[in-house]
Amino acid sequence: MKRKLRMTAIYLTIVAVVGGFILINSGNIKQKKVPHKNNIIEIESIKAPTKYIKVGRSVLSVSFLNGTEGKITYQRLIELAYQHKDAEKINILDVGYLEDNFLDENTENISKEDSSSENSIMKSIWITSLPTFTSGVYKTVLYREVLADDRFIDSFAKGQEWKLKNDITVKLRATADGNSFARMGLNLNNELVCRIAKGTILKGPPEDSECNSREIRCTFYQNEGIWERWGLINGIPYYFWGNFAEPSKYKLYAIDRIVRPEIMR
């Protein structure tokens, strides 16, 4: 009887350990953040490098501030121009990246230590319905820099100015689906943060501009793909997989346009 109680206690202890292990790793997303920039961004400059893009019958000027020249492809500029056809001018204020942590997306993204500790736990438990894994987690990026979101931050009228008393931050987080237990060990870049630092002066178009409104926005891009893993359930081979998306890049920009008051009828 005592031996049976002792075995029951050991069984419950193992279940508790595994349960805690699952909860701790349920996010399956590596907590990595890019250190934010403390420098104050420049909102406009007459000396900034400028390109001109034809959109229909109009010509849109795009200026590159804060060292952003060469960080956006011409195709992305065309996309941006057509996204804001009513704009007169766009200032690119910042471009940020979150590079992939791994040299090869097709390599195993779980360390030998994690794999051995995970297997030792699985071998110690007497629950045959839980899978045992015969491989680590493999991550394959299928699409790079896919447009994920475009966020509105603030807008200002001509001549208006506002000095930030606190940082403004907008962010994009990684996502993953599929069996949460099977994807333990999947390392994804967790979060990409676009930050406008405290002390930055946000302002509308200058008084001599024909534009009377300025809108500040941030566009996020992400890498998308699948994760895969192989295992056994009750001794039967099983293939686990799911989708993931992780942030890769953002561009912070300001749009100058002419906003006409509606005609009262």
Side-chain angles (χ1 to χ4, degrees):
M1 181 68 179
K2 290 183 179 179
R3 185 174 182 276
K4 185 176 182 181
L5 289 174
R6 186 165 58 252
M7 293 298 292
T8 302
I10 294 173
Y11 170 82
L12 292 175
T13 301
I14 293 173
V15 170
V17 170
V18 173
F21 185 77
I22 294 173
L23 288 174
I24 291 171
N25 291 278
S26 61
N28 307 304
I29 296 175
K30 189 172 183 179
Q31 298 296 314
K32 176 185 175 182
K33 297 182 181 180
V34 171
H36 72 267
K37 301 175 183 178
N38 292 315
N39 56 299
I40 308 299
I41 66 169
E42 189 175 22
I43 299 296
E44 61 183 14
S45 172
I46 58 174
K47 298 180 181 179
T50 301
K51 289 184 179 180
Y52 297 90
I53 300 175
K54 188 175 181 181
V55 183
R57 297 182 179 180
S58 304
V59 176
L60 172 66
S61 68
V62 181
S63 296
F64 302 90
L65 290 82
N66 309 298
T68 57
E69 186 179 20
K71 293 184 178 180
I72 300 179
T73 65
Y74 185 71
Q75 181 60 39
R76 290 295 188 198
L77 292 178
I78 294 293
E79 292 174 1
L80 187 63
Y82 274 89
Q83 182 182 347
H84 301 287
K85 293 181 180 180
D86 61 337
E88 300 292 326
K89 181 179 181 180
I90 295 179
N91 288 339
I92 306 298
L93 307 178
D94 189 22
V95 177
Y97 304 89
L98 188 49
E99 299 295 343
D100 194 286
N101 294 321
F102 314 104
L103 296 177
D104 183 1
E105 290 82 7
N106 295 309
T107 58
E108 191 173 8
N109 289 327
I110 183 170
S111 68
K112 291 182 179 179
E113 286 186 12
D114 291 340
S115 181
S116 60
S117 62
E118 181 180 294
N119 287 335
S120 65
I121 292 174
M122 294 305 300
K123 288 176 181 177
S124 301
I125 195 165
W126 306 306
I127 302 178
T128 58
S129 59
L130 287 178
T132 55
F133 299 113
T134 56
S135 78
V137 184
Y138 292 83
K139 182 180 76 170
T140 304
V141 175
L142 301 177
Y143 307 100
R144 292 189 176 277
E145 291 196 9
V146 177
L147 178 63
D149 200 2
D150 186 72
R151 311 272 183 87
F152 169 82
I153 295 177
D154 212 335
S155 62
F156 299 87
K158 177 187 285 191
Q160 184 182 6
E161 290 190 3
W162 178 256
K163 186 175 182 178
L164 294 183
K165 296 180 181 179
N166 298 290
D167 289 356
I168 291 179
T169 59
V170 288
K171 58 187 71 175
L172 181 69
R173 295 179 62 86
T175 60
D177 63 19
N179 185 288
S180 59
F181 190 68
R183 70 173 188 258
M184 284 192 297
L186 173 65
N187 292 316
L188 297 178
N189 293 324
N190 179 32
E191 188 176 88
L192 179 57
V193 179
C194 173
R195 178 176 279 99
I196 305 177
K198 173 184 177 181
T200 298
I201 297 176
L202 300 179
K203 50 189 175 181
E207 292 292 352
D208 59 354
S209 173
E210 62 178 358
C211 299
N212 59 4
S213 175
R214 173 172 290 162
E215 187 174 304
I216 299 174
R217 304 187 69 91
C218 181
T219 296
F220 285 98
Y221 301 91
Q222 65 187 18
N223 295 334
E224 299 176 354
I226 62 171
W227 62 267
E228 302 170 282
R229 195 172 197 179
W230 290 262
L232 299 172
I233 298 180
N234 294 330
I236 300 173
Y238 202 87
Y239 170 68
F240 302 89
W241 73 279
N243 301 291
F244 73 85
E246 57 184 345
S248 60
K249 182 179 181 179
Y250 72 77
K251 65 171 179 282
L252 178 67
Y253 62 100
I255 309 163
D256 288 6
R257 54 166 60 95
I258 301 171
V259 177
R260 295 179 174 85
E262 294 184 5
I263 299 175
M264 300 297 293
R265 295 185 179 180

